[in-house]
């Protein structure tokens, strides 16, 4: 440090220790468990110091005031991203099994939840109260966007889900899978209840993207072999040939 004292971060014990000129420990504090283990320390302004952790956090702190979070993030590949229909919020899910809600104006995390499997895709219900998240194994679940409570869990196939999309009016949910199918669910109770509605069969490769028409009657979908198909949902998920 500028005053000749030494600051060390002890890896897995998550302790920051300040040593005096004779290398006697003078002050110590611990990084909270959810931030990970200490990977690097640096001197900041005045008596502040910076700590970089194994979970992509940069913390700024002093021995008197504790830590403030400067940077936070996922610790593995980020796959799913969804924006809230009317609030300044966005949700991410990643290979690290974390689901995070972010405030896009203040650039801070609102909440995080650890789920059972890596998340791959997500979409908010148009009502904004729930969000659907598709995982690596074909399971998908719905979380309450405020309390992060589990609302509902379903499974479609056993391959990764690549896209979740609510219809514009929020009455249907389309789930695109790597098994080449699009699964459809009827949605009620403002996104809290789901019942199987049908299945779109016709792609010869995995689903990559899908979108609803504004009138909620049709879906356009893309697949891994660059094919674009159109589906008539109103009349039984039929493939439209023309």
């Amino acid at each position: 440090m500028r005053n000749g004292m030494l600051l060390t971060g002890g890896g897995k014990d998550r302790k920051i220790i300040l040593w005096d000129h004779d290398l006697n420990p003078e002050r110590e504090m611990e990084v909270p468990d959810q931030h990970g283990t200490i990977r690097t320390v640096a001197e900041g302004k005045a008596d502040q110091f910076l700590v970089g952790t194994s979970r992509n956090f940069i913390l700024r702190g002093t021995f008197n005031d504790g830590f403030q979070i400067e940077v936070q993030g996922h610790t593995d590949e980020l796959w799913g991203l969804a924006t809230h229909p009317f609030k300044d919020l966005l949700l991410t899910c990643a290979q690290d099994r974390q689901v995070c809600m972010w405030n896009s104006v203040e650039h801070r995390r609102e909440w995080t939840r650890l789920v059972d499997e890596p998340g791959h895709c997500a979409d908010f219900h148009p009502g904004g109260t729930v969000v659907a998240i598709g995982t690596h194994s074909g399971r998908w679940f719905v979380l309450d966007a405020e309390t992060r409570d589990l609302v509902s869990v379903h499974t479609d196939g056993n391959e990764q889900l690549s896209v979740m999309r609510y219809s514009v009016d929020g009455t249907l949910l389309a789930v695109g899978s790597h098994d080449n199918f699009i699964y459809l669910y009827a949605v009620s109770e403002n996104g809290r209840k789901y019942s199987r509605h049908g299945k779109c069969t016709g792609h010869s490769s995995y689903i990559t993207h899908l979108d609803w028409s504004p009138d909620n009657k049709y879906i356009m979908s893309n697949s891994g072999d660059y094919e674009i198909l159109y589906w008539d949902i109103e009349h039984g998920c039929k493939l439209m040939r023309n």
Side-chain angles (χ1 to χ4, degrees):
M1 306 288 275
R2 279 183 288 268
N3 58 12
M5 295 173 94
L6 187 69
L7 188 72
T8 61
K12 288 183 181 170
D13 68 6
R14 305 195 318 282
K15 276 185 186 162
I16 300 277
I17 297 181
L18 185 69
W19 311 78
D20 67 17
H21 296 92
D22 300 320
L23 297 186
N24 298 312
E26 193 170 284
R27 304 283 305 264
E28 72 169 59
M29 67 190 293
E30 211 168 280
V31 170
D33 186 32
Q34 69 265 30
H35 297 157
T37 58
I38 296 166
R39 297 300 300 271
T40 179
V41 291
E43 192 170 21
K45 290 178 181 171
D47 59 347
Q48 291 180 347
F49 50 87
L50 299 161
V51 181
T53 76
S54 60
R55 290 197 181 149
N56 279 7
F57 282 85
I58 297 177
L59 307 169
R60 183 160 50 101
T62 68
F63 283 105
N64 296 326
D65 302 332
F67 289 113
Q68 240 181 311
I69 297 167
E70 290 296 317
V71 173
Q72 56 194 329
H74 285 280
T75 60
D76 210 336
E77 286 183 26
L78 181 66
W79 280 81
L81 171 67
T83 52
H84 194 282
F86 48 84
K87 289 182 185 168
D88 295 318
L89 296 173
L90 52 99
L91 179 127
T92 56
C93 55
Q95 292 286 80
D96 60 11
R97 309 201 335 270
Q98 279 193 92
V99 175
C100 301
M101 184 77 80
W102 306 87
N103 183 313
S104 60
V105 174
E106 295 172 25
H107 294 188
R108 65 180 167 79
R109 190 159 68 181
E110 295 281 329
W111 56 256
T112 181
R113 177 180 171 137
L114 205 60
V115 293
D116 297 341
E117 296 166 64
H120 264 266
C121 49
D123 195 32
F124 278 95
H125 184 271
T129 54
V130 298
V131 60
I133 294 149
T135 72
H136 199 65
S137 68
R139 279 179 80 202
W140 57 273
F141 43 87
V142 180
L143 295 180
D144 185 298
E146 277 187 21
T147 64
R148 63 194 133 162
D149 293 337
L150 198 59
V151 173
S152 164
V153 184
H154 301 270
T155 304
D156 286 304
N158 54 8
E159 295 195 42
Q160 94 180 29
L161 302 177
S162 43
V163 56
M164 316 283 291
R165 277 282 179 278
Y166 285 99
S167 58
V168 182
D169 63 1
T171 59
L172 292 164
L173 172 68
V175 180
S177 170
H178 266 230
D179 64 8
N180 307 358
F181 299 128
I182 297 169
Y183 300 92
L184 280 159
Y185 283 81
V187 182
S188 54
E189 294 176 23
N190 209 10
R192 294 184 176 272
K193 198 157 183 285
Y194 295 81
S195 55
R196 180 64 81 75
H197 183 72
K199 184 161 107 171
C200 299
T201 310
H203 271 294
S204 51
S205 185
Y206 56 90
I207 313 299
T208 55
H209 306 80
L210 63 85
D211 233 333
W212 286 89
S213 61
D215 62 7
N216 309 296
K217 292 178 182 175
Y218 305 101
I219 283 177
M220 175 171 77
S221 57
N222 303 44
S223 61
D225 54 3
Y226 313 117
E227 188 175 42
I228 298 175
L229 296 181
Y230 299 86
W231 308 89
D232 183 344
I233 302 305
E234 207 179 18
H235 299 107
C237 310
K238 287 198 186 89
L239 177 58
M240 295 165 70
R241 297 285 174 195
N242 52 346

